């Protein structure tokens, strides 16, 4: 898949920003443990630029680990939701292909569920430019774990409307003077079937669909899940793929 997309689709989340904030999953503590391990430094007291911060899910978790976070988000609706949820966080409107920051401003640049909206030929040198010496670019995605049978069946029902994210994007950095390390964290959350449907509805491929077609597709999926989970709850499983990128000069 192409790891950058047209701007209208990237900004489609503005229409569902409140639902996105309520329905999307967090990230597990083990992810941030892995970020610290792969980057070789604690998040506490690090200056972090959270790019494509959305409604602030990763921003909040980074702050809880002690990082000083600047959030950057291109979408007006998502930025407004982030401001409501995290009023103390500095918030800048911008996007990764043209970072509006001076060189050597941050210890870490992060993209949580957002790097695929950039053009890596532009966003990679921009991230490296704003990093301090020994800084790190960290990218991660929650991806539905299709090794679980019910998730695989759901993917089949929803295809071709679903859009997978890469477990890692290490190959994209081959042209650049960097070291790349990867890690995968498996985890799950216990939620209701209806919460799962609301999460699915915030993904861009559903947001941009014709409303009647979207409702029909998600209703059919809801019916199938209700048969599988008559108690109305399920474990929503994820594979969280992390890629950490360090300039080759870093020791």
């Amino acid at each position: 898949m192409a790891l950058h997309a047209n701007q209208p689709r990237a900004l489609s989340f503005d229409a569902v920003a409140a639902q996105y904030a309520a329905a999307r999953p967090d990230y597990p503590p083990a992810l941030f443990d892995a970020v610290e391990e792969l980057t070789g430094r604690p998040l506490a007291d690090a200056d972090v630029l959270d790019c494509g911060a959305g409604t602030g899910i990763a921003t909040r978790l980074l702050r809880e680990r002690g990082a000083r976070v600047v959030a950057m988000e291109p979408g007006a609706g998502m930025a407004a939701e982030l401001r409501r949820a995290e009023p103390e966080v500095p918030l800048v409107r911008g996007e990764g292909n043209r970072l509006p920051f001076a060189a050597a401003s941050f210890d870490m640049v992060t993209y949580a569920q957002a790097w695929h909206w950039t053009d890596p030929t532009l966003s990679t040198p921009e991230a490296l430019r704003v990093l301090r010496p020994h800084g790190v670019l960290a990218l991660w995605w929650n991806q539905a774990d299709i090794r679980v049978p019910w998730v695989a069946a759901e993917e089949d029902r929803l295809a071709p409307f679903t859009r997978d994210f890469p477990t890692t994007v290490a190959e994209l950095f081959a042209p650049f003077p960097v070291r790349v390390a990867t890690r995968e964290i498996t985890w799950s959350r216990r939620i209701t079937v209806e919460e799962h449907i609301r999460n699915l509805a915030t993904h861009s491929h559903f947001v941009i669909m014709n409303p009647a077609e979207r409702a029909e597709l998600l209703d059919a999926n809801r019916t199938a899940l209700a048969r599988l989970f008559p108690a109305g709850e399920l474990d929503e499983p994820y594979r969280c793929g992390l890629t950490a990128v360090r300039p080759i000069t870093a020791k």
Side-chain angles (χ1 to χ4, degrees):
M1 83 174 189
L3 288 182
H4 55 281
N6 61 58
Q7 194 74 349
R9 181 161 177 170
L11 296 176
S12 67
F13 301 107
D14 285 336
V16 294
Q19 184 173 332
Y20 189 110
R24 284 292 184 105
D26 282 356
Y27 302 98
L31 168 68
F32 298 98
D33 294 340
V35 168
E36 293 182 327
E37 179 184 345
L38 293 185
T39 61
R41 65 156 299 152
L43 286 163
D45 295 323
D47 291 314
V48 177
L49 172 61
D50 187 23
C51 294
T55 62
I57 295 171
T59 301
R60 169 177 53 83
L61 296 171
L62 288 163
R63 291 186 73 216
E64 289 176 0
R65 296 291 289 232
R68 293 184 294 269
V69 184
V70 174
M72 189 187 73
E73 167 57 36
M78 297 288 269
E81 190 64 28
L82 190 154
R83 171 59 64 225
R84 184 197 64 77
E86 300 291 332
E88 297 181 359
V89 173
L91 173 60
V92 175
R93 296 288 300 282
E95 49 93 14
N97 294 337
R98 294 178 296 275
L99 294 176
F101 300 97
S105 295
F106 298 97
D107 300 308
M108 190 178 300
V109 174
T110 62
Y111 281 84
Q113 222 78 14
W115 179 258
H116 55 283
W117 296 117
T118 75
D119 178 346
T121 66
L122 301 174
S123 54
T124 301
E126 277 293 276
L128 297 177
R129 179 183 65 80
V130 303
L131 283 172
R132 292 171 181 152
H134 313 294
V136 180
L137 168 64
L139 326 170
W140 62 84
W141 287 267
N142 275 325
Q143 180 172 256
D145 191 345
I146 60 172
R147 297 171 299 186
V148 177
W150 77 260
V151 179
E154 178 180 73
E155 291 283 305
D156 289 341
R157 280 194 300 275
L158 298 180
F161 303 102
T162 55
R163 180 168 182 260
D164 289 336
F165 300 126
T167 303
T168 76
V169 289
E171 68 280 1
L172 292 176
F173 299 102
F176 301 98
V178 296
R179 295 189 182 95
V180 179
T182 64
R183 187 67 52 82
E184 181 178 280
I185 298 94
T186 57
W187 71 287
S188 66
R189 62 173 183 165
R190 186 75 173 173
I191 58 173
T192 67
V193 168
E194 192 57 38
E195 288 168 335
H196 175 69
I197 296 295
R198 284 175 59 80
N199 173 22
L200 290 176
T202 67
H203 289 253
S204 64
H205 40 268
F206 291 116
V207 175
I208 64 175
M209 283 182 72
N210 174 278
E213 293 177 355
R214 177 175 62 240
E216 181 179 2
L217 189 65
L218 292 178
D219 282 347
N221 192 51
R222 180 185 289 107
T223 299
L225 293 176
R227 288 196 295 266
L228 282 173
F229 304 104
E233 291 189 337
L234 53 80
D235 288 313
E236 191 178 67
Y238 287 100
R239 302 168 69 178
C240 188
L242 167 65
T243 302
V245 182
R246 306 178 69 179
I248 204 72
T249 54
K251 302 298 185 183

